[in-house]
Amino acid sequence: MPELVLETNGRTWTLEPSRSYALGRDPQGDIVFDDARVSWRHATVRFDGHTWVIEDHGSTNGTFVQGHRVGRTELGAGTAVHLGNATDGPRLNLTGADAHQAAPYAAQSATWAQQTQAVPQATQPQPQPQGAEWHSGPQQAPAFPHQQGGTPAAPDQHAHGDRSPTTFHQFALGHVMRIGRSLDNDLVVSDLQVSRHHAEFQTTPEGRFEIRDLGSHNGTYVNGQPIAKGGTAVLGPDDIVGVGHSAFRIVGDRLEEFVDTGEVSFSARHLTVTVDGGKQILRDVSFGAPEKSLIAVIGPSGSGKSTLLKALTGYRPANEGEVLYDNRNLYKQFAELRQRIGLVPQDDILHKELSVRKALKYAAKLRFPADTTPAERDARIDEVLRELKLDIHKDKKVTSLSGGQRKRVSVALELLTKPSLIFLDEPTSGLDPGMDRDVMQLLRGLADDGRTVLVVTHSVAELALCDKLLVMAPGGAVAYFGPPEEALNFFGYDTWADVFSAFENYRDYDWAGRWKGSQHYQMYAADLDAVAAQSVTAPPPQAVKPPKPQSWGSQLFTLVRRYVSVIGSDKGFLALTVILPAVLGAVSLLIDHEKGLLVNPLNPRTGLHVPNGTATTVLLILAVGACFAGAANSVRELIKERVIYERERATGLSRSAYLMSKVVVLGAVTVLQGLMVGLIGFASREIPERGLVLGGSTLIELCLPIMALGFTSMMFGLVISSLVRTAEKTMPLLVMFAIIQVVFTGCLFTLHGTPGVNEFSYLMPSRWAVAAAGTTLDFNNIAPNTDDPTSTDPLWNHSAAAWSLDMVVLIALGVACGFLVSRFLRRHEPEVMRK
């Protein structure tokens, strides 16, 4: 087994065949490079039993041998390897291996060179021998091809032109090529977004090509549209197949692969957003983002920055214009491209009660395919934590971190899936100047490491770190786009405060016209702006919904575990959960008339039963307590997690699984509280010996309506939480809800026989809960209508049928609330998903 000598940056390593060597920026690696173009864990050099090989680990900027990007290739004496860039990236010189090892490499390099020259211009590959085996070879920089029918490339904009495939794979007719993450596939894709056995290419007897999904978790896409899970689609010569961060195109009998490693173009063309009344809040915005760049968007309040961000991410598509991700229409292909775009809202998108590692663990569980192992998820989490220098804080609660560190955690969550494009909304809001600089330097590093980063900000202190600056004028138009160091000179002011004052003082001035008439416009935007937005025919409505990374049951289980962890880490909430029902139940014990009887007391003179008004008072207190406790548990739950839900929904979260997780956890808590309230309120009192439904278990029969009332009130609280826009509005609505329940219990005044009022009371859960307990206690007998003793409330009839009806309607109200919450949650999802 020959040794290999590796030399780089003046240092030399003698590699032993008995072990492998990790290359990258990770300080724990074997050979460490201090270069932003090198990934954290970039590649591995090892002896495979026959020869030395280098394997790239899906690095952002790639590994290159003789100018060609490689995934895995043999090494020999005289071989030169570049990391991160084919020409000036860190260079590895290899010497000392046996001379015979260089021969296979040299022959292979010559073959690759010939193939590479033919690929960019070839429309039909050279004929291959029938029955040839699968073969892959390296090509030039990765990219996505220009699609037929898409928007033509802007003149002199390399970012919008065709580029060469990353690799190609030769196959023979009649063969099947399977794609997946597992090593037993014909084409191995090292991407955690890809299932172990994801899809397969095959040929039909007629000689046509098909793609068949193998039950993948994140889906297989043809031209941006998902195919059915386990379904097939016939491919044409111009069709693009998307699998994770890779895309494939069939050219003749060759499969070309394009790996999205960050070298993608992104542009907005003629974006216009119009709201009700015809008012334009975004007007004809066009700009292009260079690859691997940091772009800042600034402007005064009311200039449309937030609207622009929503339009660029697909959360609220523009009424006119288009957003292109490497020449692919984001709005039309959102289901696939959403996996490659990261979004960090202004508010934190993590549960602050959890530790950093645990919060990322649950996020990874929801975003990665179900067949991803815990070890794979943990390895990716550790990699991201080290990259963002959060590994020393991984066991701290998010709420204990500084503002800048919390923003890093939010960025870490988005980096889990290796997005090529990251948007941030006001990441430095509320931070001091030092943290402002740290966050902007973090974003600069993300761009240097192979991502395009766009940040909306009010801070102008660190704009020099950006590659491009987009200045929005009042009314939503572009006032400037170009290098940040030229911006103040363009406006003719010395400070940004003067520029913003000018925007405010001259709101009617045509800032967009001034920009388009300038030399800067001709230099930085005219070529892109000259290309009119193309009218792309919308695809027919899809019968197949976009796939989700996890099954519904798996998502529900993960969400329930996360929610229990959040609640369990909040000691104050746990204490209040126990104290609140105990206090509410104990209050009813203050009413001790006639020794606590909840039946008709006997008149000592006549020996006859007399009406008992205490029973309705006790039940009123217990019902109101259950209503208040149930609604208080849930009234803030959806509004406080709205930003988290919006982001997770865009990445494939099931709306019904999310809602059901709240119902399961809060429902269990509320039902137990209702049981506590009922036991405290009823246990010490004299109650009927036998119930209507449960026989001798009268106490449980009385507690069940209180428990069901708490559950239904909790569902009403979720309705309130899904309707309001701020958490501050929940408390007044909670008080109003509780008061209304008091009025419509039927304990304060007679509801039966009151036209309109009685029918309205049927919508109130307290009406049915009190009625169910009233049937057991025989309210028509112990609390008759004082105005008309012969008039009885049918909901209080002392019968099992009446008790069952009351309980069924009470639960049905809770189910109806669940349906309403599900509909209201749609308003907080990306608009492109709703359509």
Side-chain angles (χ1 to χ4, degrees):
M1 294 188 297
E3 293 181 341
L4 188 69
V5 179
L6 184 152
E7 180 183 357
T8 179
N9 293 332
R11 299 186 61 187
T12 301
W13 289 264
T14 300
L15 311 186
E16 299 178 358
S18 59
R19 55 164 297 194
S20 60
Y21 295 83
L23 284 63
R25 298 202 329 271
D26 185 357
Q28 305 300 319
D30 299 294
I31 304 175
V32 182
F33 297 87
D34 186 16
D35 191 302
R37 295 170 294 180
V38 178
S39 294
W40 194 261
R41 293 181 178 178
H42 196 101
T44 298
V45 176
R46 64 181 179 85
F47 188 77
D48 67 355
H50 170 68
T51 184
W52 286 93
V53 296
I54 185 169
E55 295 179 347
D56 186 275
H57 294 317
S59 62
T60 299
N61 296 319
T63 302
F64 299 86
V65 175
Q66 292 194 350
H68 308 300
R69 182 165 181 162
V70 298
R72 179 184 186 276
T73 189
E74 298 178 358
L75 300 175
T79 304
V81 179
H82 285 86
L83 305 181
N85 188 282
T87 56
D88 61 354
R91 177 187 174 98
L92 286 69
N93 296 313
L94 305 171
T95 59
D98 285 353
H100 73 272
Q101 288 181 285
Y105 172 77
Q108 189 181 50
S109 297
T111 303
W112 287 348
Q114 294 173 4
Q115 294 170 337
T116 302
Q117 295 172 1
V119 170
Q121 302 298 329
T123 55
Q124 293 292 334
Q126 296 298 320
Q128 299 293 329
Q130 186 71 18
E133 296 297 326
W134 298 105
H135 173 72
S136 65
Q139 292 295 322
Q140 298 175 5
F144 199 92
H146 181 73
Q147 286 185 267
Q148 184 185 36
T151 306
D156 301 322
Q157 292 286 329
H158 173 72
H160 300 274
D162 291 3
R163 282 179 268 174
S164 302
T166 309
T167 58
F168 67 86
H169 311 274
Q170 196 69 43
F171 57 90
L173 295 177
H175 282 214
V176 174
M177 184 177 191
R178 190 171 60 184
I179 302 172
R181 203 174 71 249
S182 176
L183 295 178
D184 61 353
N185 290 284
D186 301 295
L187 199 164
V188 179
V189 180
S190 57
D191 180 358
L192 290 183
Q193 295 288 84
V194 177
S195 299
R196 291 189 174 278
H197 300 100
H198 196 103
E200 63 183 20
F201 287 94
Q202 56 191 16
T203 56
T204 66
E206 297 79 19
R208 304 184 68 179
F209 293 99
E210 288 183 342
I211 180 68
R212 182 166 74 93
D213 182 84
L214 299 179
S216 64
H217 299 280
N218 275 328
T220 304
Y221 300 82
V222 176
N223 298 328
Q225 303 302 317
I227 64 176
K229 195 169 187 176
T232 60
V234 178
L235 302 176
D238 299 303
D239 288 335
I240 302 298
V241 177
V243 174
H245 285 79
S246 298
F248 303 88
R249 177 175 62 184
I250 294 179
V251 179
D253 58 353
R254 181 173 61 195
L255 183 68
E256 296 181 344
E257 180 181 3
F258 304 82
V259 181
D260 185 346
T261 58
E263 296 174 343
V264 297
S265 62
F266 183 80
S267 62
R269 298 184 180 176
H270 306 286
L271 297 183
T272 298
V273 174
T274 305
V275 295
D276 295 339
K279 180 182 179 181
Q280 289 186 344
I281 55 177
L282 205 65
R283 293 190 291 114
D284 196 28
V285 174
S286 298
F287 70 94
E291 298 175 4
K292 302 181 180 180
S293 61
L294 174 59
I295 301 172
V297 180
I298 65 172
S301 299
S303 59
K305 299 187 299 297
S306 297
T307 302
L308 175 62
L309 188 64
K310 292 179 181 179
L312 294 177
T313 56
Y315 271 58
R316 200 290 188 190
N319 302 99
E320 300 176 19
E322 59 188 0
V323 176
L324 300 180
Y325 180 102
D326 224 14
N327 287 327
R328 305 176 67 186
N329 190 295
L330 176 64
Y331 299 158
K332 304 299 182 185
Q333 304 185 24
F334 183 80
E336 177 186 356
L337 297 180
R338 66 180 180 178
Q339 303 176 25
R340 309 186 191 182
I341 297 176
L343 173 63
V344 181
Q346 183 174 348
D347 297 324
D348 294 325
I349 51 178
L350 291 166
H351 292 86
K352 298 179 182 180
E353 300 85 355
L354 301 178
S355 67
V356 172
R357 184 175 183 81
K358 185 173 287 187
L360 293 179
K361 178 181 177 181
Y362 285 123
K365 178 70 173 175
L366 289 172
R367 296 193 181 196
F368 288 140
D371 60 2
T372 306
T373 65
E376 289 176 314
R377 293 194 297 268
D378 290 343
R380 180 56 187 158
I381 291 172
D382 291 339
E383 182 179 355
V384 170
L385 289 175
R386 286 193 297 268
E387 182 178 359
L388 297 182
K389 298 180 176 60
L390 287 169
D391 47 337
I392 60 176
H393 304 294
K394 61 183 179 182
D395 295 322
K396 297 179 181 177
K397 286 188 177 183
V398 177
T399 187
S400 68
L401 302 178
S402 66
Q405 290 168 343
R406 286 201 302 271
K407 193 58 63 177
R408 283 177 178 266
V409 177
S410 294
V411 173
L413 186 150
E414 293 302 310
L415 291 186
L416 289 175
T417 54
K418 296 185 177 181
S420 300
L421 191 64
I422 302 178
F423 294 92
L424 300 100
D425 186 10
E426 301 285 358
T428 61
S429 177
L431 302 183
D432 61 50
M435 290 185 179
D436 182 359
R437 180 182 58 192
D438 291 343
V439 171
M440 292 301 293
Q441 288 177 342
L442 165 68
L443 303 184
R444 177 71 265 172
L446 294 178
D448 293 339
D449 204 27
R451 307 172 184 93
T452 300
V453 182
L454 188 146
V455 53
V456 174
T457 180
H458 279 297
S459 175
V460 297
E462 304 296 335
L463 294 180
L465 293 173
C466 303
D467 298 296
K468 289 289 188 294
L469 176 64
L470 176 65
V471 182
M472 301 294 293
V478 176
Y480 173 82
F481 178 73
E485 61 270 15
E486 299 177 16
L488 286 176
N489 183 58
F490 170 82
F491 287 107
Y493 291 99
D494 295 328
T495 66
W496 283 109
D498 295 332
V499 175
F500 279 36
S501 294
F503 283 148
E504 181 65 27
N505 296 332
Y506 306 100
R507 299 187 68 89
D508 295 332
Y509 182 75
D510 186 9
W511 295 101
R514 180 178 182 273
W515 156 243
K516 292 189 176 182
S518 68
Q519 183 180 1
H520 284 77
Y521 172 79
Q522 297 298 326
M523 294 172 61
Y524 302 118
D527 290 341
L528 179 67
D529 210 18
V531 181
Q534 300 296 307
S535 176
V536 181
T537 303
Q542 292 291 316
V544 182
K545 293 183 179 180
K548 297 176 175 59
Q550 301 278 333
S551 66
W552 188 90
S554 178
Q555 286 193 6
L556 175 61
F557 182 67
T558 301
L559 290 168
V560 168
R561 288 181 57 198
R562 183 177 70 178
Y563 195 24
V564 170
S565 297
V566 171
I567 292 177
S569 63
D570 190 346
K571 307 304 180 184
F573 179 82
L574 289 177
L576 187 62
T577 300
V578 176
I579 295 174
L580 180 62
V583 171
L584 294 175
V587 168
S588 69
L589 298 180
L590 299 177
I591 302 174
D592 198 22
H593 182 65
E594 297 291 341
K595 300 180 181 181
L597 299 178
L598 292 182
V599 294
N600 294 78
L602 291 174
N603 188 315
R605 291 179 297 175
T606 64
L608 300 176
H609 287 286
V610 296
N612 182 3
T614 301
T616 56
T617 305
V618 170
L619 195 55
L620 171 64
I621 294 175
L622 297 180
V624 172
C627 282
F628 186 82
N633 286 340
S634 61
V635 75
R636 287 178 177 264
E637 284 305 309
L638 300 183
I639 183 62
K640 75 178 184 181
E641 291 187 359
R642 181 160 299 173
V643 177
I644 298 176
Y645 172 74
E646 288 177 352
R647 184 64 194 126
E648 290 183 341
R649 179 65 176 143
T651 59
L653 178 69
S654 167
R655 184 196 315 133
S656 58
Y658 174 78
L659 175 57
M660 187 56 65
S661 70
K662 299 295 183 185
V663 173
V664 170
V665 177
L666 290 176
V669 171
T670 304
V671 167
L672 290 176
Q673 287 179 324
L675 178 62
M676 185 182 300
V677 169
L679 290 176
I680 295 174
F682 292 128
S684 61
R685 300 181 182 277
E686 183 179 339
I687 57 178
E689 295 181 359
R690 294 191 59 81
L692 294 172
V693 178
L694 301 182
S697 302
T698 309
L699 178 60
I700 300 299
E701 186 175 311
L702 287 172
C703 288
L704 283 176
I706 302 300
M707 296 160 65
L709 175 58
F711 176 83
T712 302
S713 297
M714 180 272 296
M715 297 301 295
F716 269 87
L718 289 178
V719 172
I720 295 173
S721 191
S722 64
L723 283 173
V724 298
R725 296 188 178 274
T726 61
E728 290 74 16
K729 296 180 180 178
T730 58
M731 287 300 102
L733 293 175
L734 173 62
V735 173
M736 182 179 69
F737 172 76
I739 292 176
I740 291 177
Q741 299 312 305
V742 172
V743 174
F744 289 99
T745 55
C747 297
L748 297 180
F749 61 92
T750 302
L751 292 173
H752 177 66
T754 307
V757 176
N758 185 45
E759 286 73 19
F760 182 75
S761 71
Y762 292 161
L763 299 176
M764 303 299 141
S766 62
R767 171 76 160 111
W768 299 96
V770 169
T775 59
T776 301
L777 296 173
D778 194 10
F779 265 16
N780 280 330
N781 189 17
I782 67 174
N785 187 344
T786 56
D787 296 330
D788 184 6
T790 62
S791 176
T792 59
D793 191 335
L795 300 185
W796 290 1
N797 286 343
H798 189 59
S799 67
W803 187 93
S804 300
L805 173 65
D806 295 337
M807 290 296 293
V808 168
V809 175
L810 181 57
I811 299 300
L813 286 175
V815 174
C817 288
F819 175 78
L820 292 176
V821 174
S822 179
R823 302 302 296 174
F824 294 149
L825 280 176
R826 293 182 72 251
R827 303 184 308 163
H828 310 299
E829 300 172 2
E831 187 171 326
V832 69
M833 295 181 67
R834 285 181 265 159
K835 294 183 178 181

